[in-house]
Amino acid sequence: MEVIQTFPNGTTIEFGEDSHGNQVHRVCSPTGAMCRYVEPFPCALAYAQHYEESYAIKPPKEQDA
């Protein structure tokens, strides 16, 4: 697989072939703990957006004074 896009939070989209020789995109979460194989690039972008939102670094909550 070849990384073709890396997003700000670390989500990656890779392109290559699956075990059957089909050309697919692999979308991996920033931690690499979850990856999803999809064929069309628009689907890969949708999963990447989901991972980016799910793994977004949230600013610490401010405490009331």
Side-chain angles (χ1 to χ4, degrees):
M1 292 277 176
E2 175 187 351
V3 175
I4 59 172
Q5 192 166 0
T6 302
F7 292 84
N9 290 329
T11 300
T12 58
I13 298 179
E14 304 171 2
F15 183 74
E17 294 184 353
D18 65 10
S19 60
H20 302 287
N22 300 313
Q23 291 184 336
V24 295
H25 295 89
R26 180 170 69 181
V27 185
C28 294
S29 65
T31 62
M34 291 191 311
C35 293
R36 175 77 184 203
Y37 287 88
V38 294
E39 289 187 16
F41 187 69
C43 289
L45 287 174
Y47 278 104
Q49 181 179 6
H50 173 73
Y51 287 155
E52 282 292 287
E53 291 171 359
S54 297
Y55 287 85
I57 299 171
K58 297 177 177 70
K61 293 182 180 179
E62 293 184 25
Q63 296 181 358
D64 293 331

